[in-house]
Amino acid sequence: QVQLQESGPGLVKPSQTLSLTCTVSGASISSGAYYWSWIRQPAGKGLEWIGRIYTSGSTNYNPSLKSRVTVSVDASKSQFSLKLTSVTAADTAVYYCARESESPHLFDNSGYYAPWGQGTLVTVSS
Amino acid sequence: QSVLTQPPSASGTPGQRVTIPCSGSSPNIGSYSVNWYQQLPGTAPKLLIYTNNRRPSGVPDRFSGSKSDTSASLAISGLQSEDEADYYCAAWDDSLNGPVFGGGTKLTVL
């Protein structure tokens, strides 16, 4: 059974860099046709896709965050990571990592997320 | 404001059937399949329906999904108290070049 677990600082100062790691267990992070993704959720609000990395190492990012986001993978540690620079209070949220499976339909880009990590709250405050 | 539109709330009584709509447009639901997630209070979202109408292993057949043109819907039959949660639809969007989520619907079991 695949499991994901986020880790990282719960408090980050404004203008600094938010760094989170997602540890994958129960499966190899470098095998299979999967994307490894980051999604966040501000308190009381909806879900926002941040970005993802494919097994091959290629990445995609939300255009609204692209200039500040980097997603990387360390297959030797079965981990993938998120870095978000120049954070502000608007970046305060619960951050989730998730595995994205490709749609079984040809030419269908709507992958689906399962499983998810339990989420980690990151607060941006001085 | 979310790209995919869901009503903020829905409700039903135990045993009832409820539907949650998700409205989109051509670059998203009109072109790609829809997935649904259930988020119980204080927990991470969980995949409920994928590729419009498929249920992952372990999801009761009380849950079903459908899609038509630029809209989708989630139906829950035989409503139970444990179904009280937030429900989100999601689909790929060509304008974003990434996945978009609905704003979520909070389901209350009366």
Side-chain angles (χ1 to χ4, degrees):
Chain A
Q1 182 182 357
V2 181
Q3 293 184 311
L4 285 71
Q5 177 71 58
E6 304 89 350
S7 59
L11 180 64
V12 181
K13 288 181 168 44
S15 80
Q16 294 192 341
T17 297
L18 178 160
S19 295
L20 295 175
T21 296
C22 182
T23 301
V24 179
S25 59
S28 170
I29 199 171
S30 54
S31 65
Y34 299 113
Y35 288 95
W36 303 94
S37 304
W38 289 97
I39 296 161
R40 69 182 183 180
Q41 184 175 34
K45 297 189 177 181
L47 301 164
E48 180 183 33
W49 173 68
I50 300 171
R52 64 183 186 179
I53 188 164
Y54 194 56
T55 323
S56 65
S58 65
T59 54
N60 302 101
Y61 301 124
N62 187 320
S64 69
L65 300 169
K66 187 174 183 177
S67 64
R68 301 193 290 130
V69 173
T70 302
V71 177
S72 59
V73 66
D74 185 340
S76 67
K77 295 182 179 179
S78 201
Q79 295 176 334
F80 64 105
S81 300
L82 168 70
K83 288 190 187 303
L84 182 65
T85 62
S86 305
V87 297
T88 68
D91 295 310
T92 294
V94 174
Y95 285 74
Y96 296 102
C97 59
R99 186 182 73 174
E100 179 187 345
S101 297
E102 294 180 327
S103 168
H105 292 170
L106 206 57
F107 307 123
D108 181 8
N109 290 342
S110 283
Y112 52 92
Y113 299 104
W116 296 59
Q118 65 183 28
T120 187
L121 173 62
V122 178
T123 302
V124 178
S125 175
S126 54
Chain B
Q1 189 162 349
S2 304
V3 175
L4 304 182
T5 302
Q6 297 179 239
S9 63
S11 62
T13 55
Q16 200 173 22
R17 182 177 188 270
V18 297
T19 59
I20 297 174
C22 174
S23 176
S25 56
S26 181
N28 43 70
I29 295 179
S31 300
Y32 303 105
S33 64
V34 177
N35 305 308
W36 290 89
Y37 300 90
Q38 177 192 58
Q39 186 174 33
L40 296 169
T43 69
K46 167 194 155 187
L47 179 66
L48 196 63
I49 297 288
Y50 69 101
T51 321
N52 301 326
N53 53 21
R54 303 187 186 196
R55 280 188 309 276
S57 173
V59 173
D61 60 6
R62 302 186 296 105
F63 295 91
S64 62
S66 63
K67 180 191 130 172
S68 178
D69 297 327
T70 58
S71 293
S73 65
L74 173 71
I76 310 172
S77 60
L79 197 62
Q80 299 179 5
S81 59
E82 55 260 41
D83 298 334
E84 197 161 274
D86 293 326
Y87 293 85
Y88 293 91
C89 59
W92 183 267
D93 184 273
D94 280 336
S95 302
L96 178 73
N97 197 33
V100 289
F101 292 89
T105 297
K106 183 176 183 61
L107 175 64
T108 301
V109 180
L110 302 169

